[in-house]
Amino acid sequence: MDIQDAQREVRSVYIGGFWGQLVSSVIWLVSAAVGTWATPKASILTVVIAGFFIFPLTQMLLRLSGGRASVSRENAFHWLGMQVAFVLPLSMLLLAPVCLYNLNWFFPALMVLLGAHYLPFATLYGMRVFLLLAGILIAAGVVIALYFSKSFSLGAWIAGVALFVFAWLGRSIAIGEASAPSTH
């Protein structure tokens, strides 16, 4: 299987990242609401704990939607997806000293980490739209930390909305490709 076929299978199976990003957007938006109307600690616990359920919820939704939940073993990117998935939780350890310095930097810093996490998705899926999502998350995280850090939840709201929009954009790309006449 060549790289383009491997990317096409990833796009097809994971519907351009739709379910994973949709689940992530809901988690970020719920955490934003908790941070806005409850406490920062509860908000942080919400996004961190719920974040561990993104993959299993994505798998469940893929199966419930009638599709496969993983790419074939022959796919050159079979293991890359898992490796990319571990980058974010392992890098989240960096958030501890950030929060000790300024608790309101939690979400902007997490946005930067999430954006960096999405960079390899451009290769994994063969979709440049992930570069745009990564750039938006990273840039917004930096701008919020530098200029709008009086708000604890602003970054969570922005990331949640961005993930929601890009979930549908990725779905549109993948479904459009699947319905297009085959060139093979």
Side-chain angles (χ1 to χ4, degrees), residues 44-96:
I44 291 169
L45 288 172
T46 299
V47 76
V48 171
I49 293 169
F52 287 105
F53 294 97
I54 293 170
F55 181 74
L57 287 171
T58 299
Q59 294 290 292
M60 179 190 74
L61 291 168
L62 284 167
R63 286 186 178 96
L64 288 174
S65 67
R68 294 184 340 203
S70 65
V71 296
S72 65
R73 293 273 181 193
E74 297 80 35
N75 191 309
F77 293 135
H78 178 77
W79 295 108
L80 179 61
M82 185 187 330
Q83 293 165 6
V84 169
F86 280 108
V87 169
L88 186 59
L90 294 174
S91 63
M92 285 176 64
L93 295 170
L94 295 169
L95 295 173

Side-chain angles (χ1 to χ4, degrees), residues 85-150:
F86 280 108
V87 169
L88 186 59
L90 294 174
S91 63
M92 285 176 64
L93 295 170
L94 295 169
L95 295 173
V98 168
C99 289
L100 289 174
Y101 184 75
N102 185 342
L103 186 62
N104 287 351
W105 284 357
F106 174 80
F107 281 116
L110 186 53
M111 290 172 75
V112 170
L113 293 176
L114 183 64
H117 164 73
Y118 271 115
L119 288 171
F121 279 52
T123 299
L124 182 65
Y125 282 82
M127 295 170 61
R128 291 184 195 185
V129 71
F130 284 110
L131 298 175
L132 180 59
L133 174 58
I136 289 169
L137 290 168
I138 293 167
V142 170
V143 168
I144 292 166
L146 292 176
Y147 302 107
F148 300 99
S149 65
K150 296 227 186 290

Side-chain angles (χ1 to χ4, degrees), residues 1-2 5-6 13 30-31 40 73 77 88-89 108 120 132 134 143-144 146 154 169 174 181:
M1 178 178 289
D2 71 12
D5 289 336
V13 168
V30 168
S31 185
R73 293 273 181 193
F77 293 135
L88 186 59
L132 180 59
V143 168
I144 292 166
L146 292 176
L154 178 61
L169 184 56

Side-chain angles (χ1 to χ4, degrees), residues 30-44 46 107 152-153 157:
V30 168
S31 185
V34 171
T36 300
W37 293 297
T39 66
K41 181 180 179 182
S43 176
I44 291 169
T46 299
F107 281 116
F152 174 76
S153 299
W157 287 112

